[in-house]
């Protein structure tokens, strides 16, 4: 069982054009640890470690308040060796893949070189899902008039 949090980290909050990075923070209750799934850095990066530690502290504080009978105070922050992105603008896709593929023990298994095909597959799956009630054929001008 896990509590997974998507993270949008802003390197510079005044930078309107960039400086943002998506990654995943996961509280692995079965494994009794907090996990970082980042597609471009490891916990050796001081900024990532600082941000992960801040999130872990906030999660612990909320956990103490809402679940006082089960302590997570002893959970260490560990790095999960997820596939690393090859480009600069793929972190959102990788965070999504890591969140959907990580099961707490088996590493996500996808090839970073397949980013374009993965994007196409996800778009197709979302658009054609039975849960998608949007008039996507009309919106995408898919049907010939």
């Amino acid at each position: 069982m896990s509590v997974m949090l998507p993270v949008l980290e802003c390197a510079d909050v005044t930078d309107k054009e960039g400086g943002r990075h998506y990654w995943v923070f996961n509280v692995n209750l079965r494994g009794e640890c907090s996990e970082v799934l980042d597609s471009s850095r490891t916990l050796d990066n001081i900024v990532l470690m600082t941000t992960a530690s801040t999130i872990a502290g906030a999660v612990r504080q909320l956990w103490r308040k809402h679940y006082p009978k089960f302590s997570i105070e002893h959970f260490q922050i560990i790095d999960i060796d997820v596939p690393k992105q090859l480009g600069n603008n793929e972190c959102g896709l990788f965070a999504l893949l890591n969140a959907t593929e990580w099961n707490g023990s088996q590493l996500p298994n996808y090839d970073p070189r397949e980013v374009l095909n993965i994007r196409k597959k996800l778009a197709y799956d979302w658009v054609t899902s039975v849960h998608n009630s949007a008039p996507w054929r009309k919106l995408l001008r898919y049907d010939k008039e």
Side-chain angles (χ1 to χ4, degrees):
M1 183 179 189
S2 293
V3 178
M4 196 167 277
L5 305 170
V7 177
L8 174 56
E9 185 176 351
C10 296
D12 180 0
V13 294
T14 62
D15 182 358
K16 304 270 190 247
E17 299 301 317
R20 294 176 225 5
H21 179 65
Y22 286 99
W23 55 277
V24 177
F25 183 90
N26 185 52
V27 181
N28 185 334
L29 299 171
R30 188 173 295 126
E32 296 191 356
C33 60
S34 295
E35 302 163 331
V36 170
L37 294 88
D38 191 305
S39 62
S40 69
R41 303 170 295 178
T42 66
L43 286 172
D44 292 336
N45 179 290
I46 191 69
V47 174
L48 179 60
M49 185 60 184
T50 300
T51 303
S53 297
T54 301
I55 293 169
V59 168
R60 285 186 190 113
Q61 182 179 7
L62 289 167
W63 200 272
R64 279 191 302 271
K65 179 179 178 180
H66 296 284
Y67 305 101
K69 292 181 181 179
F70 183 79
S71 175
I72 63 169
E73 297 296 322
H74 62 284
F75 285 19
Q76 297 294 310
I77 300 172
I78 63 169
D79 217 350
I80 302 302
D81 187 23
V82 296
K84 300 301 183 204
Q85 65 190 64
L86 302 175
N88 291 332
N89 62 350
E90 300 163 349
C91 60
L93 176 64
F94 277 62
L96 179 64
L97 290 170
N98 292 333
T100 56
E101 302 234 348
W102 178 239
N103 66 8
S105 61
Q106 191 171 5
L107 289 175
N109 184 22
Y110 57 89
D111 186 343
R113 294 171 295 190
E114 290 293 319
V115 167
L116 183 57
N117 289 333
I118 293 169
R119 286 179 191 266
K120 288 177 184 179
K121 183 189 179 313
L122 286 174
Y124 177 81
D125 290 349
W126 294 336
V127 168
T128 60
S129 169
V130 296
H131 303 292
N132 183 357
S133 60
W136 66 271
R137 288 181 178 273
K138 182 179 179 182
L139 291 170
L140 296 177
R141 298 186 179 126
Y142 185 76
D143 288 330
K144 295 180 181 164
E145 298 181 25

